[in-house]
Amino acid sequence: MPKIFSGVQPTSIPTLGNYLGAMKNFVTLQEGNDCIYCIVDEHAITLPQDPVEIQKNIHNLAALYLAIGIDPKRSILFIQSEVPCHAQLGWIMQCVSYMGELERMTQYKDKSQGKNAIPAGLLTYPPLMAADILLYHTDLVPVGADQKQHLELTRDLAERFNNKYGEVFTIPEPYIPPVGARIMSLAEPTKKMSKSDKNKKATIFTLDSEKDIIKKIKSAITDDEASIRYDREQKPGVSNLLDIYSLCSGRSVDDLVSAYQGKGYGEFKTDVAEAVVGMLKPIQEKYNNLIESSELDEVLDEGAEKAYAIARKTLKDTEQALGIGRIN
Ligand code: TYM
């Protein structure tokens, strides 16, 4: 069966962008594939985190993974730092990487901008991500469009290693959805929706209350043309709401555009909000039942054990190919 791997950083409650661009597909890909999903806490500390907050976020993210429909009987769910092979292969991938290619990563450029003390982990973030993926002989990596460049680097590093030391790694493909790969900020629809946006109206979080979701969508920036049509360039705000509406309702963008011919933005936004609330409500209910349950620790213990069994073999093969440690 094809192998799937992906991860989410426990830096806050995931956003609607994280869910629609990536996590929703984690669930559907469980059908017919071997899936491994990770809480990438080592990636989260590439920028300083409050220890109490990140601990809470790890727990919450585990609950959310299950609430959206990750089935621990079918898929492996684990915490990155609990499988030491990630940091170990991450180091090896750093040794395979060139400074120039790491410095060219747009996420590195964005996140290091304006800092006079740049954590080295921001630069070496992509080799660790490559390690995550390569440890499990992953075929397909479901991510949003912002991770495409990291995926290309992962492929380059794997090919570079294989060419030099022998075929150890599977070359992974990104799985980027045709709609939803880049959900935009509600306040500035030419910018990606992001967890860390300072503008509280820009981002919907998956655990937001109904009232907050309605408020945020009602205040979403549109344009003054007063017509509902899809045009990412000229009408980024309306197009973003159409994408969100389509993904939350299961109706196609074309269908929505014809249904809202001649209707105003007020009515449209009310219906978008209703679709988002309707989609998130059952997830939030499951989340609330899971958050206090002991099931979470059991799932994470079992996940770490299963992930380790796979990862240690790939790490050993990599070390043997490099000739480090004792060969047996
Ligand atoms: P993170 O935690 O920033 O985001 C998790 C996933 O959500 C996607 N995403 C979006 N998709 C659509 N619209 C948006 N506005 C939006 N914002 C975020 C991201 O593309 C991502 O798929 N580097 C990864 C974490 C990671 C990883 C991995 C992923 C570490 N190791 C191995 C895959 C495989 C990240 O920053 O995720």
Side-chain angles (χ1 to χ4, degrees):
M1 273 211 283
K3 296 188 173 57
I4 311 289
F5 181 96
S6 198
V8 177
Q9 299 189 62
T11 41
S12 79
I13 294 296
T15 68
L16 187 64
N18 294 137
Y19 179 67
L20 297 178
M23 297 178 81
K24 191 168 185 266
N25 300 321
F26 297 1
V27 180
T28 48
L29 283 166
Q30 291 182 113
E31 202 56 57
N33 298 295
D34 275 335
C35 297
I36 306 186
Y37 298 120
C38 189
I39 296 170
V40 289
D41 54 351
E42 290 170 326
H43 277 106
I45 58 163
T46 51
L47 285 174
Q49 302 293 331
D50 178 273
V52 176
E53 274 302 302
I54 191 169
Q55 190 51 225
K56 223 165 46 190
N57 285 333
I58 290 170
H59 186 78
N60 295 350
L61 181 54
L64 191 69
Y65 262 119
L66 299 188
I68 63 170
I70 299 304
D71 175 1
K73 290 195 193 71
R74 286 200 283 176
S75 302
I76 297 175
L77 175 64
F78 75 104
I79 302 172
Q80 187 184 32
S81 64
E82 295 186 355
V83 178
C85 312
H86 288 253
Q88 290 171 284
L89 187 65
W91 172 255
I92 293 172
M93 287 296 119
Q94 279 185 49
C95 296
V96 177
S97 309
Y98 304 133
M99 290 289 287
E101 62 193 350
L102 299 183
E103 281 165 351
R104 276 197 298 278
M105 294 290 117
T106 50
Q107 185 174 297
Y108 169 71
K109 288 197 257 184
D110 290 349
K111 293 202 171 168
S112 59
Q113 204 179 30
K115 288 194 168 48
N116 45 23
I118 302 167
L122 269 190
L123 183 71
T124 57
Y125 180 114
L128 179 60
M129 180 163 161
D132 297 342
I133 297 166
L134 299 175
L135 278 171
Y136 302 97
H137 295 290
T138 304
D139 297 295
L140 217 53
V141 186
V143 282
D146 63 341
Q147 297 301 312
K148 189 164 178 264
Q149 202 185 25
H150 288 162
L151 253 299
E152 279 160 9
L153 181 73
T154 300
R155 291 167 56 88
D156 287 348
L157 298 181
E159 276 165 9
R160 190 176 302 157
F161 186 98
N162 284 355
N163 287 338
K164 193 148 184 202
Y165 301 104
E167 295 288 317
V168 174
F169 299 126
T170 302
I171 311 297
E173 295 279 344
Y175 178 96
I176 296 173
V179 182
R182 201 170 159 79
I183 298 296
M184 309 308 267
S185 149
L186 298 179
E188 258 180 278
T190 48
K191 233 176 68 179
K192 183 186 83 161
M193 182 181 281
S194 147
K195 285 174 186 166
S196 54
D197 205 310
K198 300 237 165 15
N199 185 339
K200 294 278 165 266
K201 291 177 175 170
T203 307
I204 293 178
F205 293 92
T206 44
L207 299 180
D208 274 351
S209 69
E210 175 168 356
K211 196 167 135 239
D212 282 347
I213 294 171
I214 294 172
K215 214 160 64 189
K216 288 177 186 180
I217 292 181
K218 289 257 163 158
S219 67
I221 297 297
T222 48
D223 51 61
D224 45 23
E225 192 200 49
S227 99
I228 295 160
R229 58 186 182 84
Y230 197 88
D231 182 338
R232 277 254 179 189
E233 291 296 309
Q234 303 298 320
K235 296 173 71 67
V238 171
S239 304
N240 190 39
L241 290 176
L242 278 167
D243 279 343
I244 292 174
Y245 195 175
S246 167
L247 288 162
C248 294
S249 65
R251 294 168 69 182
S252 72
V253 168
D254 285 348
D255 176 28
L256 292 171
V257 168
S258 36
Y260 284 88
Q261 284 274 319
K263 294 189 176 161
Y265 287 168
E267 184 181 351
F268 175 60
K269 283 180 170 177
T270 304
D271 294 351
V272 177
E274 195 182 304
V276 175
V277 169
M279 185 202 62
L280 289 178
K281 211 171 209 159
I283 293 176
Q284 295 181 352
E285 280 166 9
K286 282 197 203 120
Y287 173 91
N288 289 331
N289 291 332
L290 278 160
I291 195 72
E292 301 293 349
S293 91
S294 59
E295 187 192 340
L296 281 186
D297 281 326
E298 286 161 26
V299 167
L300 293 171
D301 284 346
E302 200 181 315
E305 212 173 291
K306 286 185 183 161
Y308 180 63
I310 305 169
R312 66 195 281 264
K313 167 134 196 352
T314 313
L315 179 65
K316 192 82 208 151
D317 291 345
T318 312
E319 290 173 341
Q320 295 221 341
L322 286 164
I324 63 172
R326 273 175 295 170
I327 308 296
N328 43 42

